[in-house]
Amino acid sequence: MAADASEPSQNAIYKHADPLGASHVLWWPFSKGPEPGAQSTLILFIPGNPGHLAFYTPFLSTIYDKTAASSSSRLAILAHSYLGQTPGLADDNVFSHPERVCLTAQVQAVIEVLDSLKSAYGDNTRIVMIGHSVGTWITLQALKARHDHIAEVFLLFPTIQHILQTPYGRRWSWLFRGPFPRILSTLSTTSRIWPTKMVSLILRDWPPAQLQVLLRWLRSPPSVFAVLTMAHDEMQTIRELDIALMDENRHRICLYFGDQDMWVGEQKDAILRLFNPDPGSMRVFHGPSDIPHAFCINHGELVASQCLEWLKSGGFI
C-alpha cells in the first residue's frame, strides 16, 4: 500500500480473484492504536457511477477527521472503486470483455472485499457500509449475501428501484446502449485538448480539484466505456425493490433522500410507502433542496454530517 504523507488516505490496489482483475481503493487507517478487546468501526464505502474515488475525498475525509478528533473512537474507512473505472488502472481489455465491468462482477468484487475485511479484523470490528446512488443497490446485495458481516448500512440518494423509470433514467438511458458507449469513449479522447478554463466556464460551480478529477477520467477511454457499460446494466437490472430484504433489515438501514433527485424521482415515495405504518423504524433523512444527487462535488461535508449523526446514534463512534 503506497501512502502519501500529505494526504489522510492511502492509495492501494485490491487484486481480486480471477477473472475480476483489480480495483482501486482508498484507506483511512484506524484513528487510534489497537486496544485489546476494544470495539472499533470500519466503514466500507461504495460510490456511485462513475466510481472515481477522488470525487468523494472531501466527504470521506470529513467523516474520518471529525471522528479522529474524538478521544473515544477507533474508526477506519475503506473506499472501493469499480472494476475498470479508474484511470491508469483500466485497460483496453474492457472493450472486448465488457462482462468484466458489469453489475454482477461489481457486486462480486465488493463481497470479496467485505469478506477480506471481516477475516482481517474479526468480530471486534463492526462494519458499516455506506453506498451512494447505484452503490446503495450494491450495498443491499452485499447485505443480502453477507448479512452477518454488516452492522448497519447508510443508503445515500438510493437508486434501488426501477432506475429506468426515473426522470434521468428515461432521458439518458439511450446513451448507455450500444454502440454509444464505444462511440462516446472514443470521442472522450478529444478532452485531452480541452482548455481547463473552458471546462470551468461550463461547470462554474465545480471546485478546481473536482474539475481535474473529471478531466482525468474523461481522458481515459476504457474508464468511460466501463462507466457507460455498467450504467446500461443498471437500467436493465435495478427493477423491483427487494421488499423482504428491506423489511428484514429495517432496523439497520438508514436512508438519505434528496429533495429533487432526478435519479430517484417518484420511486422515493414508493419506497417510503412500503414501510408504513412504521416509518420511524428506518432512520430516514430528507436532505435540503440545494444538495443534489451528485453531492460529492460540492456538498460532501454536509452529507458527512448526517452520516456522523447516524454513526453516533448507532453507537459506532
Side-chain angles (χ1 to χ4, degrees):
M1 182 176 290
D4 182 344
S6 67
E7 296 292 336
S9 59
Q10 301 170 0
N11 283 284
I13 303 300
Y14 188 101
K15 294 183 178 178
H16 294 278
D18 290 336
L20 295 178
S23 58
H24 174 226
V25 297
L26 285 178
W27 171 248
W28 284 256
F30 282 102
S31 49
K32 304 238 178 336
E35 300 175 13
Q39 279 202 331
S40 56
T41 300
L42 198 162
I43 292 173
L44 174 57
F45 175 73
I46 312 300
N49 186 13
H52 199 341
L53 296 180
F55 283 128
Y56 294 90
T57 301
F59 164 67
L60 295 169
S61 292
T62 298
I63 294 176
Y64 183 77
D65 292 343
K66 291 191 175 182
T67 304
S70 169
S71 61
S72 59
S73 300
R74 290 189 71 241
L75 177 135
I77 301 174
L78 182 74
H80 181 271
S81 187
Y82 292 124
L83 302 168
Q85 292 197 12
T86 303
L89 188 58
D91 58 51
D92 290 341
N93 286 332
V94 69
F95 294 109
S96 55
H97 296 283
E99 71 280 359
R100 294 182 180 177
V101 296
C102 71
L103 210 51
T104 298
Q106 307 291 0
V107 171
Q108 290 173 346
V110 168
I111 291 174
E112 186 176 338
V113 170
L114 183 59
D115 287 343
S116 295
L117 294 175
K118 192 63 178 180
S119 176
Y121 293 103
D123 293 336
N124 282 336
T125 297
R126 297 164 297 178
I127 297 176
V128 175
M129 289 193 68
I130 302 179
H132 171 226
S133 192
V134 67
T136 62
W137 185 84
I138 291 176
T139 293
L140 288 178
Q141 304 314 299
L143 179 63
K144 186 173 186 176
R146 299 290 190 271
H147 65 275
D148 55 330
H149 288 5
I150 304 169
E152 200 151 301
V153 298
F154 302 166
L155 308 181
L156 311 179
F157 301 85
T159 55
I160 56 178
Q161 178 180 353
H162 292 298
I163 188 171
L164 185 60
Q165 296 178 15
T166 64
Y168 275 177
R170 290 191 292 266
R171 182 181 301 178
W172 299 115
S173 61
W174 63 273
L175 279 175
F176 311 139
R177 297 192 296 267
F180 293 106
R182 191 173 296 274
I183 293 171
L184 292 172
S185 61
T186 300
L187 292 175
S188 71
T189 58
T190 64
S191 64
R192 296 169 185 170
I193 62 173
W194 296 353
T196 302
K197 187 174 182 179
M198 180 192 76
V199 179
S200 65
L201 288 173
I202 297 171
L203 302 173
R204 293 176 182 274
D205 60 338
W206 281 50
Q210 298 286 42
L211 279 175
Q212 291 304 315
V213 174
L214 176 65
L215 287 171
R216 283 195 298 272
W217 171 70
L218 285 172
R219 291 165 183 166
S220 172
S223 299
V224 173
F225 181 81
V227 164
L228 297 174
T229 298
M230 179 175 156
H232 175 66
D233 217 9
E234 293 170 35
M235 302 295 118
Q236 305 306 308
T237 304
I238 302 176
R239 294 181 181 272
E240 296 296 333
L241 182 67
D242 193 332
I243 298 173
L245 175 67
M246 297 288 284
D247 191 49
E248 181 181 352
N249 295 280
R250 62 170 55 225
H251 295 289
R252 52 176 167 174
I253 293 176
C254 299
L255 291 163
Y256 189 113
F257 285 105
D259 182 54
Q260 298 292 329
D261 191 338
M262 302 293 276
W263 282 113
V264 177
E266 63 187 18
Q267 305 305 324
K268 171 183 175 179
D269 293 334
I271 292 169
L272 292 176
R273 281 197 302 270
L274 292 172
F275 298 95
N276 286 333
D278 188 22
S281 64
M282 297 180 67
R283 281 150 290 173
V284 179
F285 182 81
H286 300 274
S289 59
D290 60 338
I291 299 184
H293 185 87
F295 75 90
C296 55
I297 305 303
N298 270 315
H299 300 86
E301 294 85 353
L302 292 174
V303 177
S305 296
Q306 180 56 42
C307 291
L308 285 163
E309 288 298 318
W310 282 331
L311 288 168
K312 290 175 185 176
S313 65
F316 297 105
I317 58 174

